[in-house]
Amino acid sequence: MNLSSIFILIFLYELGYSFGFLAIYLAGFYFFKVIGAILGGFYIARFGPKHGALLSNLLYIPTLIIISHTAELGLGAVVIGMILQALSVAIYNLSYDINFSKIKSLKRAGRQLGVANMMEKIIGGLAPMVGGFLAIWLGPQTVMIISAGIFALAAIPLLATEEPIRTNQKISIIGFPWHNFWHNLVGQIGFGFDAVSSQIWSILVPIFIFVGQNSYGVIGVLSSVAAVVGALAALIYGRFVDRGQGLKLLQIPVALKSITLAIRGAFINTPITSVASNLVSEATTTGYHMAYYKGAFDAADRSGSRIVYMMALAVCGNLAATLASGLLFGLLQVFHSEEIGLRFFLVISAIGLMALSLADFPLYREESRQYRED
Protein backbone atom coordinates (compact mmCIF):
# COMPACT_ATOMS: atom_id res chain seq x y z
CA MET A 1 0.00 0.00 0.00
CA ASN A 2 2.79 2.44 0.87
CA LEU A 3 4.54 1.83 -2.44
CA SER A 4 1.30 2.30 -4.36
CA SER A 5 0.66 5.59 -2.54
CA ILE A 6 4.07 6.97 -3.58
CA PHE A 7 3.68 5.74 -7.15
CA ILE A 8 0.27 7.41 -7.33
CA LEU A 9 1.73 10.79 -6.31
CA ILE A 10 4.50 10.55 -8.91
CA PHE A 11 2.00 9.34 -11.50
CA LEU A 12 -0.22 12.38 -10.87
CA TYR A 13 2.76 14.75 -11.03
CA GLU A 14 3.87 13.31 -14.35
CA LEU A 15 0.32 13.77 -15.67
CA GLY A 16 0.76 17.51 -15.06
CA TYR A 17 -0.72 18.01 -11.59
CA SER A 18 1.26 20.58 -9.57
CA PHE A 19 2.77 20.14 -6.13
CA GLY A 20 0.10 22.51 -4.86
CA PHE A 21 -2.53 20.10 -6.13
CA LEU A 22 -0.68 17.17 -4.57
CA ALA A 23 -0.73 18.99 -1.21
CA ILE A 24 -4.51 19.36 -1.52
CA TYR A 25 -4.70 15.71 -2.58
CA LEU A 26 -2.81 14.68 0.57
CA ALA A 27 -5.02 16.88 2.77
CA GLY A 28 -8.09 15.21 1.32
CA PHE A 29 -6.50 11.79 1.59
CA TYR A 30 -5.77 12.16 5.30
CA PHE A 31 -9.13 13.78 5.99
CA PHE A 32 -10.91 10.78 4.54
CA LYS A 33 -8.56 8.54 6.52
CA VAL A 34 -10.03 10.17 9.63
CA ILE A 35 -13.48 9.17 8.40
CA GLY A 36 -12.17 5.72 7.47
CA ALA A 37 -10.71 5.21 10.95
CA ILE A 38 -14.03 6.06 12.58
CA LEU A 39 -16.08 3.88 10.24
CA GLY A 40 -13.44 1.16 10.49
CA GLY A 41 -13.61 1.19 14.28
CA PHE A 42 -17.34 0.50 14.26
CA TYR A 43 -16.98 -2.08 11.48
CA ILE A 44 -14.21 -3.93 13.34
CA ALA A 45 -16.25 -3.87 16.56
CA ARG A 46 -19.07 -5.55 14.66
CA PHE A 47 -17.18 -8.03 12.47
CA GLY A 48 -13.56 -8.18 13.74
CA PRO A 49 -10.15 -6.96 12.44
CA LYS A 50 -9.65 -9.74 9.90
CA HIS A 51 -12.91 -8.82 8.23
CA GLY A 52 -11.67 -5.24 8.37
CA ALA A 53 -8.52 -6.24 6.48
CA LEU A 54 -10.68 -8.09 3.96
CA LEU A 55 -12.83 -5.00 3.40
CA SER A 56 -9.67 -2.91 3.01
CA ASN A 57 -8.30 -5.18 0.28
CA LEU A 58 -11.59 -5.11 -1.58
CA LEU A 59 -11.67 -1.30 -1.46
CA TYR A 60 -8.09 -0.98 -2.72
CA ILE A 61 -8.74 -2.96 -5.89
CA PRO A 62 -11.04 -0.35 -7.52
CA THR A 63 -8.73 2.38 -6.19
CA LEU A 64 -5.83 1.20 -8.33
CA ILE A 65 -8.01 0.49 -11.35
CA ILE A 66 -9.65 3.93 -11.25
CA ILE A 67 -6.42 5.90 -10.73
CA SER A 68 -4.67 3.95 -13.47
CA HIS A 69 -7.22 5.48 -15.88
CA THR A 70 -6.82 9.05 -14.61
CA ALA A 71 -5.39 10.23 -17.94
CA GLU A 72 -8.65 9.28 -19.68
CA LEU A 73 -11.17 9.99 -16.89
CA GLY A 74 -9.67 13.20 -15.47
CA LEU A 75 -10.06 14.86 -12.09
CA GLY A 76 -13.13 12.82 -11.12
CA ALA A 77 -11.06 9.64 -11.17
CA VAL A 78 -8.43 11.28 -8.97
CA VAL A 79 -11.00 12.29 -6.35
CA ILE A 80 -12.85 8.96 -6.30
CA GLY A 81 -9.60 7.01 -6.24
CA MET A 82 -8.26 9.16 -3.40
CA ILE A 83 -11.37 8.62 -1.27
CA LEU A 84 -11.37 4.85 -1.81
CA GLN A 85 -7.64 4.67 -1.14
CA ALA A 86 -7.98 6.67 2.09
CA LEU A 87 -10.81 4.51 3.40
CA SER A 88 -8.95 1.31 2.47
CA VAL A 89 -5.64 2.30 4.07
CA ALA A 90 -7.32 3.62 7.23
CA ILE A 91 -9.33 0.44 7.75
CA TYR A 92 -6.33 -1.78 7.05
CA ASN A 93 -4.03 0.08 9.44
CA LEU A 94 -6.62 0.02 12.22
CA SER A 95 -7.35 -3.67 11.64
CA TYR A 96 -3.64 -4.53 11.76
CA ASP A 97 -3.05 -2.55 14.96
CA ILE A 98 -6.05 -3.99 16.78
CA ASN A 99 -5.22 -7.52 15.68
CA PHE A 100 -1.55 -7.28 16.71
CA SER A 101 -2.32 -5.54 20.00
CA LYS A 102 -4.62 -8.42 20.91
CA ILE A 103 -2.44 -11.39 19.98
CA LYS A 104 0.94 -10.02 21.13
CA SER A 105 2.69 -11.10 24.33
CA LEU A 106 3.59 -8.04 26.39
CA LYS A 107 6.84 -9.54 27.70
CA ARG A 108 7.97 -10.47 24.20
CA ALA A 109 6.16 -7.72 22.31
CA GLY A 110 9.43 -6.09 21.27
CA ARG A 111 10.76 -9.27 19.71
CA GLN A 112 7.39 -9.95 18.07
CA LEU A 113 7.31 -6.42 16.67
CA GLY A 114 10.87 -6.94 15.47
CA VAL A 115 10.00 -10.12 13.58
CA ALA A 116 6.85 -8.53 12.12
CA ASN A 117 8.80 -5.45 11.04
CA MET A 118 11.59 -7.57 9.60
CA MET A 119 9.19 -9.62 7.48
CA GLU A 120 7.40 -6.47 6.39
CA LYS A 121 10.70 -4.86 5.40
CA ILE A 122 11.92 -7.93 3.50
CA ILE A 123 8.70 -8.34 1.55
CA GLY A 124 8.28 -4.60 1.23
CA GLY A 125 11.89 -4.28 0.13
CA LEU A 126 11.37 -6.55 -2.86
CA ALA A 127 8.09 -4.92 -3.90
CA PRO A 128 9.47 -1.41 -4.59
CA MET A 129 12.32 -2.71 -6.73
CA VAL A 130 10.12 -5.08 -8.72
CA GLY A 131 7.36 -2.47 -8.97
CA GLY A 132 9.79 0.25 -10.01
CA PHE A 133 11.31 -1.75 -12.85
CA LEU A 134 7.91 -3.03 -13.97
CA ALA A 135 6.77 0.60 -14.11
CA ILE A 136 9.76 1.39 -16.35
CA TRP A 137 9.07 -1.50 -18.73
CA LEU A 138 5.28 -1.74 -18.64
CA GLY A 139 4.17 1.67 -17.38
CA PRO A 140 2.67 2.68 -14.01
CA GLN A 141 -0.87 1.95 -15.15
CA THR A 142 -0.03 -1.71 -15.78
CA VAL A 143 1.69 -1.97 -12.40
CA MET A 144 -1.44 -0.63 -10.70
CA ILE A 145 -3.59 -3.23 -12.47
CA ILE A 146 -1.18 -6.00 -11.42
CA SER A 147 -1.27 -4.68 -7.85
CA ALA A 148 -5.06 -4.79 -7.90
CA GLY A 149 -4.89 -8.47 -8.83
CA ILE A 150 -2.45 -9.14 -5.97
CA PHE A 151 -4.80 -7.46 -3.50
CA ALA A 152 -7.64 -9.65 -4.77
CA LEU A 153 -5.59 -12.80 -4.19
CA ALA A 154 -4.46 -11.59 -0.77
CA ALA A 155 -8.08 -11.30 0.33
CA ILE A 156 -8.76 -15.03 -0.14
CA PRO A 157 -6.95 -16.38 2.98
CA LEU A 158 -8.82 -13.89 5.18
CA LEU A 159 -12.08 -15.64 4.39
CA ALA A 160 -10.98 -18.82 6.16
CA THR A 161 -9.50 -17.39 9.38
CA GLU A 162 -11.09 -16.79 12.77
CA GLU A 163 -11.30 -13.42 14.46
CA PRO A 164 -8.90 -12.82 17.40
CA ILE A 165 -11.39 -10.62 19.29
CA ARG A 166 -15.02 -10.84 20.30
CA THR A 167 -17.34 -9.60 17.56
CA ASN A 168 -20.66 -7.74 17.82
CA GLN A 169 -19.12 -5.31 20.31
CA LYS A 170 -20.59 -1.90 21.08
CA ILE A 171 -18.29 1.10 21.13
CA SER A 172 -18.69 3.64 23.94
CA ILE A 173 -17.00 6.91 23.05
CA ILE A 174 -18.45 8.85 25.97
CA GLY A 175 -17.49 6.32 28.62
CA PHE A 176 -13.85 6.07 27.53
CA PRO A 177 -11.32 7.45 30.10
CA TRP A 178 -9.95 10.15 27.78
CA HIS A 179 -8.22 12.05 30.60
CA ASN A 180 -5.96 9.07 31.22
CA PHE A 181 -4.55 8.92 27.69
CA TRP A 182 -4.53 12.43 26.24
CA HIS A 183 -0.71 12.52 26.28
CA ASN A 184 -0.72 9.56 23.89
CA LEU A 185 -3.04 11.40 21.53
CA VAL A 186 -0.80 14.50 21.54
CA GLY A 187 2.07 12.27 20.44
CA GLN A 188 0.17 11.51 17.24
CA ILE A 189 0.94 15.02 16.00
CA GLY A 190 4.43 13.71 15.35
CA PHE A 191 3.10 10.83 13.28
CA GLY A 192 1.09 13.27 11.18
CA PHE A 193 4.19 15.25 10.20
CA ASP A 194 6.18 12.04 9.82
CA ALA A 195 3.71 10.61 7.32
CA VAL A 196 3.44 13.71 5.11
CA SER A 197 7.16 14.55 5.19
CA SER A 198 8.02 10.95 4.21
CA GLN A 199 5.77 11.15 1.16
CA ILE A 200 7.10 14.56 0.18
CA TRP A 201 10.70 13.36 0.43
CA SER A 202 9.84 10.30 -1.67
CA ILE A 203 8.70 12.47 -4.57
CA LEU A 204 11.25 15.27 -4.05
CA VAL A 205 14.21 12.90 -4.46
CA PRO A 206 13.46 11.52 -7.94
CA ILE A 207 12.20 14.84 -9.31
CA PHE A 208 14.75 17.34 -7.96
CA ILE A 209 17.81 15.26 -6.98
CA PHE A 210 17.93 12.30 -9.40
CA VAL A 211 17.14 14.63 -12.29
CA GLY A 212 16.71 12.89 -15.64
CA GLN A 213 16.32 9.42 -14.12
CA ASN A 214 13.17 7.35 -14.23
CA SER A 215 11.24 8.32 -11.06
CA TYR A 216 9.70 4.89 -10.52
CA GLY A 217 13.04 3.13 -10.82
CA VAL A 218 14.69 5.57 -8.41
CA ILE A 219 11.97 5.13 -5.79
CA GLY A 220 12.02 1.36 -6.23
CA VAL A 221 15.77 1.01 -5.73
CA LEU A 222 16.03 3.50 -2.85
CA SER A 223 13.10 1.92 -1.01
CA SER A 224 14.53 -1.57 -1.40
CA VAL A 225 18.00 -0.59 -0.15
CA ALA A 226 16.50 1.23 2.84
CA ALA A 227 14.30 -1.78 3.60
CA VAL A 228 17.39 -3.96 4.14
CA VAL A 229 18.61 -1.53 6.81
CA GLY A 230 15.13 -1.44 8.34
CA ALA A 231 14.96 -5.24 8.56
CA LEU A 232 18.30 -5.46 10.36
CA ALA A 233 17.34 -2.61 12.68
CA ALA A 234 14.03 -4.30 13.52
CA LEU A 235 15.79 -7.44 14.74
CA ILE A 236 18.24 -5.49 16.90
CA TYR A 237 15.72 -3.02 18.31
CA GLY A 238 13.27 -5.75 19.28
CA ARG A 239 15.67 -7.03 21.93
CA PHE A 240 16.26 -3.56 23.37
CA VAL A 241 12.53 -2.89 23.69
CA ASP A 242 11.99 -6.09 25.69
CA ARG A 243 14.92 -5.27 27.98
CA GLY A 244 13.29 -2.12 29.31
CA GLN A 245 15.01 0.30 26.92
CA GLY A 246 11.80 1.27 25.14
CA LEU A 247 11.73 4.89 26.31
CA LYS A 248 15.28 5.56 25.10
CA LEU A 249 14.51 3.76 21.86
CA LEU A 250 11.57 6.13 21.40
CA GLN A 251 13.28 9.40 22.31
CA ILE A 252 16.75 9.00 20.76
CA PRO A 253 15.63 7.82 17.28
CA VAL A 254 12.96 10.55 17.20
CA ALA A 255 15.66 13.17 17.87
CA LEU A 256 17.94 11.65 15.21
CA LYS A 257 15.13 11.49 12.66
CA SER A 258 14.23 15.11 13.43
CA ILE A 259 17.81 16.17 12.75
CA THR A 260 17.80 14.11 9.55
CA LEU A 261 14.63 15.84 8.36
CA ALA A 262 16.09 19.27 8.99
CA ILE A 263 19.30 18.37 7.14
CA ARG A 264 17.28 16.94 4.26
CA GLY A 265 15.35 20.15 3.86
CA ALA A 266 18.31 22.49 4.20
CA PHE A 267 21.32 20.74 2.69
CA ILE A 268 20.80 17.43 0.89
CA ASN A 269 20.83 17.89 -2.87
CA THR A 270 23.02 15.07 -4.27
CA PRO A 271 22.20 11.41 -4.96
CA ILE A 272 24.86 10.10 -2.53
CA THR A 273 23.72 12.23 0.41
CA SER A 274 20.06 11.45 -0.29
CA VAL A 275 20.80 7.70 -0.18
CA ALA A 276 22.71 8.15 3.08
CA SER A 277 19.83 10.09 4.63
CA ASN A 278 17.42 7.36 3.55
CA LEU A 279 19.46 4.74 5.38
CA VAL A 280 19.63 6.83 8.56
CA SER A 281 15.94 7.64 8.31
CA GLU A 282 14.95 3.99 7.90
CA ALA A 283 17.03 2.88 10.89
CA THR A 284 15.67 5.61 13.18
CA THR A 285 12.07 5.29 11.97
CA THR A 286 12.09 1.54 12.65
CA GLY A 287 13.37 2.21 16.18
CA TYR A 288 10.77 4.70 17.31
CA HIS A 289 7.93 2.92 15.54
CA MET A 290 8.62 -0.26 17.49
CA ALA A 291 9.03 1.52 20.83
CA TYR A 292 5.97 3.68 20.21
CA TYR A 293 3.70 0.80 19.29
CA LYS A 294 4.80 -1.36 22.20
CA GLY A 295 3.78 1.52 24.48
CA ALA A 296 0.55 2.03 22.54
CA PHE A 297 -0.40 -1.65 22.63
CA ASP A 298 0.21 -1.73 26.38
CA ALA A 299 -1.96 1.37 26.80
CA ALA A 300 -4.67 -0.28 24.69
CA ASP A 301 -4.67 -3.20 27.16
CA ARG A 302 -5.05 -0.80 30.09
CA SER A 303 -7.68 1.43 28.47
CA GLY A 304 -10.58 -0.99 28.81
CA SER A 305 -11.56 -0.47 25.17
CA ARG A 306 -8.88 -1.55 22.71
CA ILE A 307 -10.87 -0.53 19.64
CA VAL A 308 -11.71 2.98 20.88
CA TYR A 309 -8.12 3.62 21.94
CA MET A 310 -6.55 2.50 18.65
CA MET A 311 -9.26 4.32 16.71
CA ALA A 312 -8.52 7.54 18.64
CA LEU A 313 -4.81 7.26 17.86
CA ALA A 314 -5.60 6.84 14.16
CA VAL A 315 -8.03 9.77 14.11
CA CYS A 316 -5.57 12.12 15.84
CA GLY A 317 -2.64 11.06 13.65
CA ASN A 318 -4.60 11.55 10.45
CA LEU A 319 -6.01 14.89 11.62
CA ALA A 320 -2.44 16.04 12.25
CA ALA A 321 -1.44 14.83 8.76
CA THR A 322 -4.39 16.75 7.26
CA LEU A 323 -3.24 19.96 8.95
CA ALA A 324 0.37 19.27 7.93
CA SER A 325 -0.75 18.90 4.31
CA GLY A 326 -2.61 22.21 4.59
CA LEU A 327 0.59 23.81 5.90
CA LEU A 328 2.47 22.35 2.94
CA PHE A 329 -0.04 23.91 0.55
CA GLY A 330 0.38 27.29 2.24
CA LEU A 331 4.17 27.13 1.98
CA LEU A 332 3.95 26.26 -1.72
CA GLN A 333 1.89 29.44 -2.23
CA VAL A 334 4.35 31.58 -0.28
CA PHE A 335 7.51 30.45 -2.06
CA HIS A 336 7.86 30.97 -5.81
CA SER A 337 10.02 27.86 -6.07
CA GLU A 338 8.19 24.59 -5.44
CA GLU A 339 11.42 22.91 -4.34
CA ILE A 340 12.07 25.59 -1.71
CA GLY A 341 8.51 25.22 -0.41
CA LEU A 342 8.91 21.46 -0.13
CA ARG A 343 12.27 21.76 1.60
CA PHE A 344 11.00 24.37 4.07
CA PHE A 345 8.17 21.99 4.94
CA LEU A 346 10.71 19.27 5.76
CA VAL A 347 12.47 21.64 8.16
CA ILE A 348 9.19 22.48 9.90
CA SER A 349 8.31 18.76 10.01
CA ALA A 350 11.52 18.18 11.96
CA ILE A 351 9.96 20.23 14.76
CA GLY A 352 6.52 18.60 14.46
CA LEU A 353 8.05 15.11 14.62
CA MET A 354 9.37 15.79 18.13
CA ALA A 355 5.78 15.58 19.43
CA LEU A 356 6.21 11.79 19.35
CA SER A 357 8.40 12.13 22.45
CA LEU A 358 5.43 13.60 24.36
CA ALA A 359 3.34 10.42 24.22
CA ASP A 360 4.15 9.50 27.87
CA PHE A 361 2.92 5.90 27.71
CA PRO A 362 2.25 4.28 31.12
CA LEU A 363 4.65 1.46 30.24
CA TYR A 364 7.59 3.87 30.06
CA ARG A 365 6.84 5.92 33.18
CA GLU A 366 8.94 5.80 36.32
CA GLU A 367 8.09 3.19 38.94
CA SER A 368 6.10 5.63 41.08
CA ARG A 369 3.96 6.65 38.09
CA GLN A 370 3.84 3.33 36.26
CA TYR A 371 0.19 2.62 36.87
CA ARG A 372 -1.09 6.14 37.43
CA GLU A 373 -2.79 7.33 34.31
CA ASP A 374 -3.91 10.77 35.51
Side-chain angles (χ1 to χ4, degrees):
M1 284 187 178
N2 291 333
L3 174 65
S4 298
S5 298
I6 296 171
F7 274 15
I8 288 171
L9 291 176
I10 295 177
F11 178 62
L12 293 176
Y13 179 80
E14 293 188 344
L15 285 178
Y17 292 96
S18 68
F19 278 107
F21 176 86
L22 295 183
I24 296 175
Y25 177 94
L26 286 174
F29 172 73
Y30 286 110
F31 174 77
F32 279 100
K33 278 191 71 178
V34 172
I35 297 175
I38 296 172
L39 296 177
F42 283 92
Y43 184 87
I44 292 168
R46 175 69 174 83
F47 299 104
K50 291 189 177 180
H51 280 77
L54 173 62
L55 176 62
S56 168
N57 278 20
L58 296 178
L59 285 173
Y60 214 81
I61 295 170
T63 296
L64 294 172
I65 294 174
I66 291 171
I67 292 183
S68 68
H69 290 85
T70 297
E72 300 86 16
L73 300 178
L75 183 61
V78 176
V79 175
I80 295 174
M82 177 267 290
I83 294 173
L84 289 175
Q85 181 193 15
L87 295 176
S88 171
V89 174
I91 294 172
Y92 175 83
N93 289 344
L94 186 61
S95 299
Y96 179 90
D97 289 344
I98 291 173
N99 184 56
F100 195 95
S101 72
K102 176 62 178 178
I103 64 175
K104 59 93 180 60
S105 166
L106 185 58
K107 291 183 178 180
R108 297 189 300 274
R111 184 172 298 181
Q112 291 171 342
L113 280 167
V115 172
N117 271 269
M118 184 188 68
M119 296 303 298
E120 181 180 334
K121 300 295 183 184
I122 292 174
I123 296 173
L126 294 174
M129 185 174 291
V130 174
F133 285 116
L134 283 177
I136 294 174
W137 296 326
L138 304 177
Q141 297 96 329
T142 303
V143 173
M144 291 182 193
I145 298 298
I146 293 173
S147 298
I150 293 174
F151 275 100
L153 293 175
I156 296 175
L158 294 171
L159 298 173
T161 55
E162 296 182 0
E163 292 294 344
I165 66 172
R166 178 172 54 86
T167 56
N168 296 309
Q169 297 185 47
K170 291 185 178 181
I171 290 180
S172 177
I173 303 294
I174 298 176
F176 187 81
W178 297 105
H179 65 286
N180 291 343
F181 300 99
W182 68 271
H183 287 93
N184 305 170
L185 302 181
V186 171
Q188 288 296 101
I189 295 174
F191 266 123
F193 277 94
D194 190 19
V196 180
S197 63
S198 295
Q199 290 181 303
I200 293 305
W201 177 251
S202 293
I203 58 178
L204 186 151
V205 169
I207 293 171
F208 293 110
I209 297 180
F210 285 81
V211 180
Q213 304 299 316
N214 184 280
S215 298
Y216 303 103
V218 170
I219 287 299
V221 172
L222 290 182
S223 299
S224 296
V225 172
V228 174
V229 174
L232 294 174
L235 272 182
I236 296 171
Y237 289 149
R239 299 180 182 276
F240 282 101
V241 173
D242 286 337
R243 291 174 182 172
Q245 301 297 313
L247 182 59
K248 291 181 180 179
L249 192 56
L250 173 62
Q251 294 174 336
I252 295 175
V254 165
L256 292 175
K257 175 64 177 289
S258 179
I259 294 171
T260 302
L261 267 179
I263 293 175
R264 277 177 170 178
F267 302 111
I268 292 181
N269 54 18
T270 66
I272 293 177
T273 53
S274 64
V275 171
S277 79
N278 273 19
L279 299 181
V280 174
S281 175
E282 187 66 32
T284 55
T285 301
T286 301
Y288 66 72
H289 272 200
M290 291 176 61
Y292 191 95
Y293 277 106
K294 179 169 182 177
F297 292 156
D298 170 75
D301 292 339
R302 301 169 187 252
S303 70
S305 181
R306 185 184 315 277
I307 295 176
V308 173
Y309 177 81
M310 300 307 300
M311 181 174 67
L313 288 185
V315 167
C316 290
N318 287 310
L319 275 176
T322 303
L323 296 176
S325 301
L327 173 62
L328 171 63
F329 176 78
L331 292 173
L332 289 170
Q333 307 312 304
V334 171
F335 294 100
H336 295 294
S337 167
E338 288 184 322
E339 183 179 2
I340 293 177
L342 296 175
R343 288 183 175 277
F344 198 77
F345 174 76
L346 294 179
V347 174
I348 295 177
S349 295
I351 301 172
L353 180 69
M354 293 299 294
L356 281 169
S357 299
L358 304 176
D360 191 28
F361 293 112
L363 181 64
Y364 299 142
R365 293 176 183 173
E366 296 177 357
E367 188 72 22
S368 60
R369 305 175 58 235
Q370 184 66 277
Y371 297 102
R372 274 176 42 207
E373 276 124 24
D374 291 317

